Amino acid sequence: MSFLNDNTPNCDHDSRRFKEQLPVPQLLDGLRILVLEDEYLIAMDVEQLCRDHGASEVVVARDLAEVDGRKVATDFDAAIVDLVLGGASTLEFAAGLRETGVPFVFASGYSDADEIKASFPGVRLVTKPYSGEDLVEAVALAYGRGSPGRD
């Protein structure tokens, strides 16, 4: 028996349940997001996650050379920064984001959270593996949206 070909009348009410779309909070509505992530699958997941939550533009850079020359402060509203891209630290780049006022979060498997907190007070480190909701909420909070009650 194949479930794909099962045409029993009792299945109709179940199929309607899957057709109804639940509203997704648009915490990133209209934002232009820069994603610094060198792991391809993670980068694609983060890009889709941002789009699903309303981001109008998501640019993925797999190394710092890809954003070199871009006016990050005017091109993007927020950034998601992996601490290490291809073996190179992004801390100097993150310091530049802070200086220009671009809100950002770190999303990394980096284990020394105390060092990050000391160097970047107030910047959230979302550690891998992370849930998509945690990441989206962290970006929204960095930008000034969302509710800080969930941490």
Side-chain angles (χ1 to χ4, degrees), residues 28-118:
L28 306 180
D29 193 34
L31 297 184
R32 298 163 301 157
I33 310 270
L34 171 63
V35 178
L36 294 179
E37 175 59 63
D38 58 352
E39 293 185 39
Y40 181 77
L41 292 177
I42 293 174
M44 296 302 99
D45 284 345
V46 171
E47 177 183 12
Q48 189 60 52
L49 182 70
C50 291
R51 292 185 189 284
D52 289 347
H53 283 81
S56 64
E57 180 182 0
V58 182
V59 173
V60 175
R62 297 186 69 200
D63 63 53
L64 290 173
E66 292 181 39
V67 291
D68 191 31
R70 285 197 75 156
K71 295 178 182 149
V72 176
T74 57
D75 288 352
F76 301 101
D77 300 307
I80 299 169
V81 180
D82 191 350
L83 287 166
V84 179
L85 291 179
S89 170
T90 59
L91 293 180
E92 188 176 318
F93 181 82
L97 290 175
R98 180 175 52 194
E99 288 173 16
T100 58
V102 175
F104 66 97
V105 299
F106 290 113
S108 182
Y110 188 72
S111 60
D112 194 354
D114 291 337
E115 180 184 339
I116 298 305
K117 288 179 183 177

Side-chain angles (χ1 to χ4, degrees), residues 24-25 27-28 42 44-54 80 105-107 124 126-141 150:
V24 175
L27 290 174
L28 306 180
I42 293 174
M44 296 302 99
D45 284 345
V46 171
E47 177 183 12
Q48 189 60 52
L49 182 70
C50 291
R51 292 185 189 284
D52 289 347
H53 283 81
I80 299 169
V105 299
F106 290 113
R124 179 131 175 232
V126 183
T127 56
K128 295 177 185 176
Y130 48 75
S131 79
E133 295 303 315
D134 285 345
L135 184 62
V136 166
E137 185 174 287
V139 173
L141 287 172
R150 188 179 153 204

